[in-house]
Amino acid sequence: MLSIIDLKRQIKTKTLNSLYVFTGEELGLLYDYVNSMGNVCKSHSLSSIWPRLNTKSVTSDRIVYVVKDDDEVIQKEKMWDRIKAYSGKNTVVLVYAGVKPSAKFLNSFDEYVVKFDRMTSLQLVAVARKKCPYMKPEDLEYLVERCDNDLIRINNELDKIDRLHDLNMIKDYRKTIDNIVVKPLEFSTFLFTGAVLRHEPGQAVRLLHLAPGDPNCSPLGLLTLLYNNFRDAAVCLGYVGDKDIEAKTGINQYKAKSLLRDINYKPNECLKAMRIIQFSESSVKYGKLKDWEALEYAVLAILNIWR
Protein backbone atom coordinates (compact mmCIF):
# COMPACT_ATOMS: atom_id res chain seq x y z
CA MET A 1 0.00 0.00 0.00
CA LEU A 2 1.21 3.49 -0.87
CA SER A 3 1.16 6.09 1.90
CA ILE A 4 -0.36 9.55 1.51
CA ILE A 5 3.08 11.01 2.29
CA ASP A 6 4.59 9.10 -0.66
CA LEU A 7 1.76 10.27 -2.91
CA LYS A 8 2.28 13.87 -1.82
CA ARG A 9 5.99 13.62 -2.62
CA GLN A 10 5.29 12.15 -6.06
CA ILE A 11 2.86 14.97 -6.86
CA LYS A 12 5.35 17.59 -5.69
CA THR A 13 8.23 16.12 -7.70
CA LYS A 14 6.00 15.34 -10.71
CA THR A 15 6.96 11.67 -10.63
CA LEU A 16 3.50 10.13 -10.70
CA ASN A 17 3.07 6.39 -11.12
CA SER A 18 1.11 4.99 -14.04
CA LEU A 19 -1.61 3.55 -11.81
CA TYR A 20 -3.29 4.34 -8.47
CA VAL A 21 -6.31 3.03 -6.61
CA PHE A 22 -7.82 5.61 -4.24
CA THR A 23 -10.28 4.48 -1.58
CA GLY A 24 -11.41 5.43 1.92
CA GLU A 25 -13.96 7.52 3.84
CA GLU A 26 -12.21 10.90 3.83
CA LEU A 27 -13.54 11.98 0.44
CA GLY A 28 -12.67 15.65 0.90
CA LEU A 29 -8.98 14.81 1.29
CA LEU A 30 -9.16 12.22 -1.49
CA TYR A 31 -10.50 14.73 -4.02
CA ASP A 32 -8.04 17.39 -2.86
CA TYR A 33 -5.24 15.04 -3.90
CA VAL A 34 -6.97 14.13 -7.17
CA ASN A 35 -7.29 17.81 -8.10
CA SER A 36 -3.64 18.48 -7.27
CA MET A 37 -2.34 15.80 -9.63
CA GLY A 38 -2.27 18.06 -12.66
CA ASN A 39 -4.04 17.66 -16.00
CA VAL A 40 -7.10 15.70 -14.80
CA CYS A 41 -9.55 14.03 -17.17
CA LYS A 42 -12.55 12.42 -15.44
CA SER A 43 -14.48 9.36 -16.59
CA HIS A 44 -16.89 6.75 -15.17
CA SER A 45 -15.45 3.85 -17.16
CA LEU A 46 -11.90 2.57 -17.61
CA SER A 47 -12.84 0.76 -20.82
CA SER A 48 -13.96 4.04 -22.41
CA ILE A 49 -10.57 5.71 -21.93
CA TRP A 50 -8.34 2.65 -22.35
CA PRO A 51 -7.71 3.25 -26.10
CA ARG A 52 -6.57 6.81 -25.28
CA LEU A 53 -4.18 6.00 -22.45
CA ASN A 54 -1.07 6.48 -24.58
CA THR A 55 -2.32 9.66 -26.24
CA LYS A 56 -0.07 12.61 -25.55
CA SER A 57 -1.45 15.87 -24.21
CA VAL A 58 -1.21 18.89 -26.55
CA THR A 59 0.77 20.60 -23.79
CA SER A 60 2.99 17.50 -23.37
CA ASP A 61 1.85 17.26 -19.73
CA ARG A 62 0.95 13.90 -18.27
CA ILE A 63 -2.81 13.29 -18.46
CA VAL A 64 -4.33 11.96 -15.22
CA TYR A 65 -7.38 9.85 -16.11
CA VAL A 66 -9.63 9.63 -13.05
CA VAL A 67 -12.18 6.82 -13.18
CA LYS A 68 -14.80 6.86 -10.45
CA ASP A 69 -16.64 3.79 -9.06
CA ASP A 70 -16.10 1.52 -12.06
CA ASP A 71 -17.79 -1.75 -11.01
CA GLU A 72 -16.66 -3.50 -14.16
CA VAL A 73 -13.02 -3.37 -13.08
CA ILE A 74 -13.84 -5.00 -9.73
CA GLN A 75 -15.97 -7.75 -11.25
CA LYS A 76 -13.81 -8.73 -14.25
CA GLU A 77 -10.71 -10.29 -12.72
CA LYS A 78 -9.38 -11.09 -16.19
CA MET A 79 -8.72 -7.38 -16.65
CA TRP A 80 -6.61 -7.02 -13.53
CA ASP A 81 -3.25 -8.21 -14.88
CA ARG A 82 -3.68 -6.08 -17.97
CA ILE A 83 -4.46 -3.00 -15.90
CA LYS A 84 -1.49 -3.56 -13.58
CA ALA A 85 0.78 -4.04 -16.58
CA TYR A 86 -0.03 -0.56 -17.90
CA SER A 87 3.07 1.63 -17.85
CA GLY A 88 2.28 4.40 -20.30
CA LYS A 89 3.14 8.08 -20.17
CA ASN A 90 -0.19 9.00 -18.58
CA THR A 91 -1.71 8.07 -15.21
CA VAL A 92 -4.85 6.13 -14.31
CA VAL A 93 -6.49 6.76 -10.94
CA LEU A 94 -9.25 4.32 -10.01
CA VAL A 95 -11.36 6.05 -7.35
CA TYR A 96 -13.76 4.03 -5.23
CA ALA A 97 -15.86 6.42 -3.14
CA GLY A 98 -19.48 5.30 -3.61
CA VAL A 99 -18.61 1.68 -4.36
CA LYS A 100 -16.68 -0.42 -1.86
CA PRO A 101 -14.05 -2.57 -3.60
CA SER A 102 -13.74 -6.21 -2.61
CA ALA A 103 -10.93 -7.40 -0.34
CA LYS A 104 -9.69 -9.62 -3.16
CA PHE A 105 -9.43 -6.62 -5.50
CA LEU A 106 -7.59 -4.52 -2.89
CA ASN A 107 -5.17 -7.35 -2.13
CA SER A 108 -4.41 -7.81 -5.81
CA PHE A 109 -3.80 -4.07 -6.33
CA ASP A 110 -2.17 -3.53 -2.91
CA GLU A 111 0.97 -1.77 -4.19
CA TYR A 112 -1.21 0.76 -6.06
CA VAL A 113 -3.68 1.49 -3.24
CA VAL A 114 -3.78 4.79 -1.36
CA LYS A 115 -6.27 4.70 1.51
CA PHE A 116 -7.78 7.95 2.78
CA ASP A 117 -8.96 7.07 6.29
CA ARG A 118 -11.24 9.35 8.27
CA MET A 119 -9.18 12.19 9.76
CA THR A 120 -9.15 12.85 13.50
CA SER A 121 -10.43 16.12 14.94
CA LEU A 122 -6.86 17.28 15.61
CA GLN A 123 -5.86 16.56 12.00
CA LEU A 124 -8.90 18.45 10.69
CA VAL A 125 -8.10 21.42 12.93
CA ALA A 126 -4.53 21.42 11.57
CA VAL A 127 -5.82 21.40 7.98
CA ALA A 128 -8.30 24.18 8.75
CA ARG A 129 -5.61 26.29 10.41
CA LYS A 130 -3.55 26.30 7.21
CA LYS A 131 -6.55 27.73 5.38
CA CYS A 132 -7.51 30.30 8.04
CA PRO A 133 -4.38 30.89 10.18
CA TYR A 134 -5.97 33.97 11.78
CA MET A 135 -8.55 31.84 13.63
CA LYS A 136 -7.91 30.52 17.13
CA PRO A 137 -7.47 26.73 17.49
CA GLU A 138 -10.47 26.52 19.83
CA ASP A 139 -12.68 28.27 17.24
CA LEU A 140 -11.45 25.91 14.54
CA GLU A 141 -12.15 22.95 16.84
CA TYR A 142 -15.69 24.29 17.33
CA LEU A 143 -16.13 24.58 13.54
CA VAL A 144 -14.92 21.00 13.02
CA GLU A 145 -17.43 19.77 15.61
CA ARG A 146 -20.27 21.78 14.05
CA CYS A 147 -19.45 20.30 10.63
CA ASP A 148 -19.50 16.72 12.00
CA ASN A 149 -15.80 16.25 11.09
CA ASP A 150 -16.73 16.41 7.38
CA LEU A 151 -13.71 17.87 5.53
CA ILE A 152 -15.71 18.90 2.45
CA ARG A 153 -18.18 20.83 4.58
CA ILE A 154 -15.40 22.30 6.72
CA ASN A 155 -13.67 23.66 3.60
CA ASN A 156 -16.95 25.12 2.30
CA GLU A 157 -17.61 26.90 5.60
CA LEU A 158 -14.00 28.15 5.80
CA ASP A 159 -14.43 29.70 2.34
CA LYS A 160 -17.42 31.67 3.70
CA ILE A 161 -15.50 32.71 6.80
CA ASP A 162 -12.52 33.77 4.69
CA ARG A 163 -14.69 36.04 2.56
CA LEU A 164 -16.29 37.61 5.65
CA HIS A 165 -12.82 38.03 7.20
CA ASP A 166 -11.55 39.84 4.09
CA LEU A 167 -14.52 42.22 4.37
CA ASN A 168 -13.72 42.80 8.07
CA MET A 169 -17.22 41.61 9.00
CA ILE A 170 -16.34 39.19 11.83
CA LYS A 171 -16.16 40.28 15.46
CA ASP A 172 -16.90 36.95 17.13
CA TYR A 173 -15.89 33.79 15.24
CA ARG A 174 -17.94 31.51 17.49
CA LYS A 175 -21.15 33.46 16.75
CA THR A 176 -20.28 33.62 13.06
CA ILE A 177 -19.87 29.83 12.96
CA ASP A 178 -23.25 29.41 14.66
CA ASN A 179 -24.84 31.68 12.05
CA ILE A 180 -23.36 30.13 8.92
CA VAL A 181 -23.24 26.44 9.87
CA VAL A 182 -26.94 25.69 9.93
CA LYS A 183 -27.85 22.24 11.22
CA PRO A 184 -30.72 20.68 13.13
CA LEU A 185 -29.98 20.32 16.83
CA GLU A 186 -28.69 16.83 17.58
CA PHE A 187 -27.18 15.52 20.77
CA SER A 188 -23.44 16.08 21.02
CA THR A 189 -21.34 15.31 24.09
CA PHE A 190 -19.05 18.23 23.18
CA LEU A 191 -21.94 20.72 22.90
CA PHE A 192 -23.73 19.33 25.98
CA THR A 193 -20.77 19.55 28.38
CA GLY A 194 -19.86 22.96 26.95
CA ALA A 195 -23.38 24.29 27.55
CA VAL A 196 -23.32 23.09 31.18
CA LEU A 197 -19.84 24.52 31.84
CA ARG A 198 -20.74 27.87 30.26
CA HIS A 199 -24.04 27.93 32.20
CA GLU A 200 -26.31 28.07 29.16
CA PRO A 201 -29.53 26.61 30.64
CA GLY A 202 -31.59 26.69 27.43
CA GLN A 203 -29.02 24.87 25.31
CA ALA A 204 -28.09 22.46 28.12
CA VAL A 205 -31.70 21.42 28.75
CA ARG A 206 -32.49 21.05 25.03
CA LEU A 207 -29.50 18.75 24.60
CA LEU A 208 -30.34 16.91 27.83
CA HIS A 209 -33.75 16.01 26.40
CA LEU A 210 -32.13 14.77 23.17
CA ALA A 211 -29.56 12.59 24.97
CA PRO A 212 -31.78 9.49 25.53
CA GLY A 213 -32.36 9.29 21.77
CA ASP A 214 -28.65 8.82 21.09
CA PRO A 215 -27.84 5.08 21.18
CA ASN A 216 -24.18 5.82 21.97
CA CYS A 217 -25.02 8.04 24.94
CA SER A 218 -24.48 6.79 28.50
CA PRO A 219 -26.02 8.88 31.32
CA LEU A 220 -23.45 7.65 33.83
CA GLY A 221 -20.70 8.34 31.32
CA LEU A 222 -21.95 11.92 30.96
CA LEU A 223 -22.00 12.34 34.74
CA THR A 224 -18.38 11.17 34.91
CA LEU A 225 -17.40 13.53 32.10
CA LEU A 226 -19.08 16.48 33.80
CA TYR A 227 -17.43 15.61 37.12
CA ASN A 228 -13.96 15.42 35.52
CA ASN A 229 -14.49 18.75 33.74
CA PHE A 230 -15.63 20.56 36.87
CA ARG A 231 -12.75 19.01 38.86
CA ASP A 232 -10.16 20.08 36.27
CA ALA A 233 -11.76 23.53 35.96
CA ALA A 234 -11.59 24.05 39.73
CA VAL A 235 -7.87 23.23 39.63
CA CYS A 236 -7.18 25.47 36.61
CA LEU A 237 -9.03 28.41 38.14
CA GLY A 238 -6.36 28.47 40.83
CA TYR A 239 -3.65 29.09 38.20
CA VAL A 240 -5.26 31.70 35.93
CA GLY A 241 -2.53 33.51 34.00
CA ASP A 242 0.16 31.02 35.04
CA LYS A 243 2.32 30.10 32.04
CA ASP A 244 3.33 26.79 33.65
CA ILE A 245 -0.22 25.64 34.27
CA GLU A 246 0.37 22.23 32.66
CA ALA A 247 3.44 21.50 34.79
CA LYS A 248 1.68 22.56 37.98
CA THR A 249 -1.69 20.90 37.40
CA GLY A 250 -0.88 17.94 35.14
CA ILE A 251 -3.70 19.13 32.86
CA ASN A 252 -2.88 19.47 29.17
CA GLN A 253 -2.30 23.16 28.35
CA TYR A 254 -4.78 23.11 25.46
CA LYS A 255 -7.47 21.55 27.67
CA ALA A 256 -6.72 23.97 30.49
CA LYS A 257 -7.08 26.91 28.12
CA SER A 258 -10.40 25.53 26.81
CA LEU A 259 -11.72 24.99 30.34
CA LEU A 260 -10.77 28.49 31.46
CA ARG A 261 -12.45 29.90 28.37
CA ASP A 262 -15.68 27.95 28.88
CA ILE A 263 -16.13 27.68 32.65
CA ASN A 264 -18.66 30.14 34.03
CA TYR A 265 -18.52 29.04 37.66
CA LYS A 266 -16.33 30.09 40.57
CA PRO A 267 -14.03 27.48 42.19
CA ASN A 268 -16.43 26.92 45.11
CA GLU A 269 -19.30 26.49 42.63
CA CYS A 270 -17.28 23.86 40.75
CA LEU A 271 -16.91 21.97 44.04
CA LYS A 272 -20.69 22.21 44.61
CA ALA A 273 -21.25 20.79 41.12
CA MET A 274 -18.91 17.89 41.90
CA ARG A 275 -20.83 17.10 45.10
CA ILE A 276 -24.13 17.18 43.18
CA ILE A 277 -22.74 14.71 40.66
CA GLN A 278 -21.43 12.42 43.41
CA PHE A 279 -24.88 12.47 45.06
CA SER A 280 -26.54 11.60 41.72
CA GLU A 281 -24.18 8.69 41.10
CA SER A 282 -24.71 7.28 44.60
CA SER A 283 -28.49 7.61 44.15
CA VAL A 284 -28.25 5.32 41.13
CA LYS A 285 -26.00 2.91 43.01
CA TYR A 286 -28.51 2.56 45.86
CA GLY A 287 -31.57 2.43 43.61
CA LYS A 288 -33.03 5.81 44.59
CA LEU A 289 -32.85 7.17 41.04
CA LYS A 290 -32.64 5.66 37.57
CA ASP A 291 -29.60 6.64 35.53
CA TRP A 292 -31.38 9.14 33.24
CA GLU A 293 -33.20 10.65 36.23
CA ALA A 294 -29.87 11.07 38.00
CA LEU A 295 -28.38 12.90 35.02
CA GLU A 296 -31.38 15.21 34.75
CA TYR A 297 -31.31 15.95 38.49
CA ALA A 298 -27.58 16.71 38.39
CA VAL A 299 -27.75 19.02 35.38
CA LEU A 300 -30.73 20.99 36.69
CA ALA A 301 -29.18 21.28 40.15
CA ILE A 302 -25.85 22.47 38.70
CA LEU A 303 -27.59 25.05 36.51
CA ASN A 304 -29.46 26.21 39.63
CA ILE A 305 -26.22 26.91 41.56
CA TRP A 306 -26.34 30.46 40.25
CA ARG A 307 -29.84 31.10 41.67
Side-chain angles (χ1 to χ4, degrees):
M1 190 175 293
L2 193 68
S3 71
I4 293 178
I5 294 174
D6 288 335
L7 173 63
K8 188 175 183 178
R9 185 179 64 251
Q10 291 175 359
I11 293 172
K12 188 175 182 178
T13 59
K14 296 184 179 181
T15 55
L16 293 177
N17 295 340
S18 298
L19 176 65
Y20 296 94
V21 177
F22 286 2
T23 186
E25 297 179 39
E26 196 59 80
L27 301 183
L29 185 63
L30 187 156
Y31 288 122
D32 281 348
Y33 273 91
V34 165
N35 294 328
S36 67
M37 295 179 80
N39 186 11
V40 174
C41 178
K42 298 180 181 180
S43 174
H44 291 287
S45 166
L46 180 60
S47 58
S48 67
I49 56 105
W50 191 263
R52 295 183 279 132
L53 282 183
N54 288 310
T55 302
K56 290 185 178 180
S57 164
V58 291
T59 61
S60 75
D61 291 334
R62 176 184 286 267
I63 301 173
V64 180
Y65 290 99
V66 179
V67 182
K68 183 181 176 185
D69 293 334
D70 190 346
D71 247 343
E72 183 186 26
V73 174
I74 296 174
Q75 294 169 4
K76 293 188 177 181
E77 293 186 30
K78 293 180 181 179
M79 298 173 61
W80 294 0
D81 288 339
R82 185 183 175 198
I83 294 170
K84 288 184 284 187
Y86 170 68
S87 59
K89 296 181 179 179
N90 297 313
T91 293
V92 175
V93 182
L94 299 175
V95 174
Y96 287 99
V99 175
K100 188 175 181 180
S102 66
K104 187 174 183 180
F105 173 82
L106 291 177
N107 287 335
S108 179
F109 283 81
D110 184 67
E111 64 181 286
Y112 309 98
V113 172
V114 181
K115 194 171 182 182
F116 293 84
D117 291 321
R118 181 68 71 179
M119 298 174 73
T120 65
S121 296
L122 287 176
Q123 289 173 324
L124 289 168
V125 168
V127 170
R129 196 171 188 183
K130 289 180 180 178
K131 194 162 187 175
C132 294
Y134 47 81
M135 288 181 67
K136 295 178 181 178
E138 53 265 34
D139 289 334
L140 290 170
E141 183 181 3
Y142 184 68
L143 174 67
V144 168
E145 171 71 18
R146 291 281 291 173
C147 292
D148 298 321
N149 285 41
D150 184 333
L151 181 59
I152 294 176
R153 190 174 182 192
I154 291 167
N155 281 331
N156 289 339
E157 303 303 345
L158 285 173
D159 286 339
K160 298 176 190 176
I161 290 173
D162 209 32
R163 288 194 291 273
L164 292 172
H165 173 79
D166 289 343
L167 295 170
N168 199 28
M169 294 177 66
I170 301 179
K171 293 182 179 179
D172 187 318
Y173 282 96
R174 194 66 74 95
K175 289 182 179 178
T176 301
I177 292 167
D178 286 337
N179 289 333
I180 67 174
V181 184
V182 181
K183 58 184 289 187
L185 186 64
E186 296 177 352
F187 181 79
S188 159
T189 300
F190 176 80
L191 294 178
F192 173 67
T193 54
V196 176
L197 292 173
R198 289 191 296 272
H199 194 271
E200 297 173 347
Q203 178 79 333
V205 171
R206 282 193 292 271
L207 288 164
L208 176 64
H209 289 160
L210 290 172
D214 187 333
N216 298 315
C217 186
S218 162
L220 294 179
L222 289 174
L223 283 171
T224 300
L225 187 60
L226 286 171
Y227 182 90
N228 291 341
N229 274 284
F230 274 109
R231 180 198 62 203
D232 291 347
V235 173
C236 291
L237 285 168
Y239 292 91
V240 175
D242 196 317
K243 294 181 179 180
D244 296 324
I245 192 167
E246 183 172 351
K248 293 180 179 178
T249 65
I251 298 170
N252 177 276
Q253 187 171 359
Y254 181 73
K255 183 181 179 183
K257 189 176 180 181
S258 297
L259 283 170
L260 290 174
R261 182 196 68 231
D262 287 342
I263 196 68
N264 210 356
Y265 297 81
K266 298 174 183 176
N268 65 311
E269 292 171 335
C270 290
L271 296 177
K272 286 182 182 179
M274 291 164 62
R275 285 196 292 271
I276 289 169
I277 295 168
Q278 287 175 329
F279 174 78
S280 298
E281 290 175 329
S282 65
S283 295
V284 174
K285 183 178 179 180
Y286 293 108
K288 294 180 180 179
L289 289 173
K290 295 180 180 178
D291 50 7
W292 285 111
E293 292 173 341
L295 176 64
E296 182 173 353
Y297 167 81
V299 171
L300 295 179
I302 290 169
L303 294 172
N304 201 44
I305 287 176
W306 269 26
R307 301 294 176 262

